Amino acid sequence: MREPSACTTILVGKKASVDGTTMIARNDDTFIPITPQKFIIEPAAHGEKGRHIKSWLNKFEMDLPEDAQRVPAVPNVDYKHRGYYDESGINQENVCMSCTESTYGNERTLAFDPLVKDGLDEDCMQTSVLPYIYSARDGVKYLGSLIAKYGSPAGNSVLFSDKDEIWYMEIVTGHHWVAQRIPDDCYAATGNRVAIEQVNFDDPDNFMWSEGIQEFVEEHHLNVDHEGWNFRHIFGTYTEQDRHYNTSRQWYIQKLFNPSIEQDPQDPDLPFIRKAEKKITREDIQFALGSHYQDTPYDPFGKGTDEEKHRYRPIGLNRTQNAHILQIRSDVPEDRAAIMWLCIGGPTFTPFVPFFANMSDTDPSYNNTSMDYNMNDAWWYYKSLAALVESHYPQFVQLDTDYLTELNRYYRGRVEEIIKGAEGKSGEELTEYLTKANQATVAHTKKDSEKLWGQMMIQSINMSKLTFHMDENL
C-alpha cells in the first residue's frame, strides 16, 4: 500500500535567486511521524545486464538500463514495508530531481482515465529516472514515456532542474500530465493540489504534456472555462481540505516573498508562479520550509485564538522526514557546482547541511540509520533535538534561532572554502576531496549542535518544579 505523503514545494529560477543559481526544494512529509531515513550513494553502473527494479508496495516492476549515473538518495530504512522513496538527488550531469508532491485529480477526469493500481509510483520513481537523464527537460520527457507505458497509481508532481532550467511536472490521472518551465526571473510554490494554470500548447519551450491530453479533455467535455485551457480548473480539486490544508501554505510562502500583496489564505486560485519583490536566498527557502505562519494569528505557537492557531496546516511539521534544497551554481566548474542542502530532522528547528553532490560516500551517521532509536544516527539525533526545542518553545526558540543563524553563517563561508580548496583537483581526486569536506562539515554541525543540547539541558534542569528553597541560615 502506498505511504501517503503531504509535501510542500518551492522552485526558484536562476534570475530570481540572489546568486544566479537554480534551486528546487521540498519538504518530504508523511502521515507517520517516525519514518527513519538514511542518506546514501547509489553507485554508477556500466554495462551491467539484468538490472531490474520491483516495488514493495504494488506489483510494478521494470528492467533498468545497463548504464546508470551515480546519485545520492534519501530512502526509507524500512523499504520492505514502506517502499524505497529515494525522494531527492543530483546526478553526475548536475540534473536534480525531487519526487514527489502528492497531487490530487478530480473525479470528473479520473472517471475517464483512472489511476493504474500497479503503475510507476513515487516509491520507485527516482530510481527509475534520475540515473538516466541529462537535463531537466530530458527528465520530464523520460518520466512521461514511463507513465505512458506503465501508468500512474497516484497523483504525483515532480521537480526537475539543471543549471539553466526548472520544470514542474504534474501527473494527475492514470496517464495524463502537464509540465511547465518556471521562468528564470520567477519562483513558484505549491502544496498538494494541482498548481499549473493556463497551458499554452503553442509554446513547447515552456510547456510539455501527455500525448492526446487536449483530445481527452475535449472528448469528455472537461473544460469548465468559457475561454482558455486552465490545467488546475480542468484536472484539479476545490475542496474544504484544499482551503485549510493546502492553499494556506501557498499563501504564506507568497506572503514571505511578496509581502506587499494582500491575499486570502483560502483563495483557491492563488497564482502558482510569481516574481518575488527581492531576490531569494537559500536561507529564505529554508525559513519558508520550516515556517508555521509566524506573525499571523494562525501560528500554533502564537497569540491567536485556539481556533485560529489550528485553522491551517503549518508548512514545517514534526512529520517532515527530510527537507532538501537542490542547488546548481553557474559561477564555478560543473564538477563542484551541485550542492544538496539536506535537513534530516525537520526544517523548523534543525539545519540544512550542505553536501557537494560529487561525492563517493556519505557520513556514517547519515548512511547507517537504525529502525530503533539511536542517538548516533543523524536522523534520530536531529529529530530529538527538534522535539526538545518544541517541548519548551518559549524558553528554547531563541537559542535555536541563534544556533541556526550561526550555522548559516558558517555554511556560507564553508562552501566557498571548499570550492577554493578544490582548485586544481579533478576526477576521482576531486570526488574524494569533496567527500571528506562534506564529512568535516557534518562534524562541525554536530559540534555546534552539542553546544545547543548542553544549553537546553541546563535550562531544563533549572526549570524543574521539583525544587524547594530553604532559609540558607537553617
Side-chain angles (χ1 to χ4, degrees), residues 198 222-230 233-234:
Q198 291 292 336
L222 297 172
N223 192 343
V224 297
D225 292 326
H226 293 293
E227 295 181 357
W229 206 96
N230 188 305
H233 290 177
I234 297 169

Side-chain angles (χ1 to χ4, degrees), residues 99-249:
C99 62
T100 70
E101 179 81 37
S102 296
T103 307
Y104 302 94
N106 61 51
E107 68 279 8
R108 299 188 307 277
T109 54
L110 289 168
F112 301 108
D113 184 25
L115 300 172
V116 179
K117 180 180 178 182
D118 293 319
L120 171 59
D121 202 359
E122 175 183 0
D123 64 311
C124 293
M125 194 173 287
Q126 177 173 305
T127 313
S128 302
V129 175
L130 185 57
Y132 315 106
I133 59 177
Y134 298 91
S135 69
R137 185 183 296 266
D138 185 37
V140 175
K141 293 178 180 178
Y142 193 94
L143 178 54
S145 69
L146 295 181
I147 295 301
K149 182 176 181 179
Y150 297 103
S152 178
N156 286 311
S157 295
V158 187
L159 298 62
F160 293 101
S161 68
D162 52 39
K163 70 180 179 65
D164 292 314
E165 296 188 346
I166 294 174
W167 284 85
Y168 190 66
M169 179 181 186
E170 295 189 315
I171 307 162
V172 287
T173 66
H175 301 88
H176 285 303
W177 55 269
V178 163
Q180 182 173 11
R181 181 174 184 253
I182 308 304
D184 293 342
D185 59 350
C186 294
Y187 75 93
T190 188
N192 299 129
R193 66 187 299 254
V194 177
I196 295 173
E197 299 170 277
Q198 291 292 336
V199 178
N200 185 350
F201 292 101
D202 295 322
D203 185 10
D205 289 339
N206 292 293
F207 293 93
M208 288 187 272
W209 54 87
S210 54
E211 184 177 355
I213 192 171
Q214 291 172 273
E215 294 80 2
F216 171 80
V217 169
E218 184 175 355
E219 177 185 354
H220 299 294
H221 312 290
L222 297 172
N223 192 343
V224 297
D225 292 326
H226 293 293
E227 295 181 357
W229 206 96
N230 188 305
F231 188 61
R232 187 191 299 176
H233 290 177
I234 297 169
F235 286 88
T237 59
Y238 286 77
T239 66
E240 184 74 9
Q241 177 168 320
D242 288 329
R243 291 189 288 275
H244 290 270
Y245 195 85
N246 301 329
T247 61
S248 54
R249 287 179 277 155

Side-chain angles (χ1 to χ4, degrees), residues 45-54 61-67 132:
H46 303 285
E48 293 184 17
K49 298 183 182 298
R51 302 181 71 245
H52 193 78
I53 187 170
K54 184 180 185 304
E61 57 182 306
M62 63 174 277
D63 291 329
L64 296 172
E66 297 179 4
D67 298 322
Y132 315 106

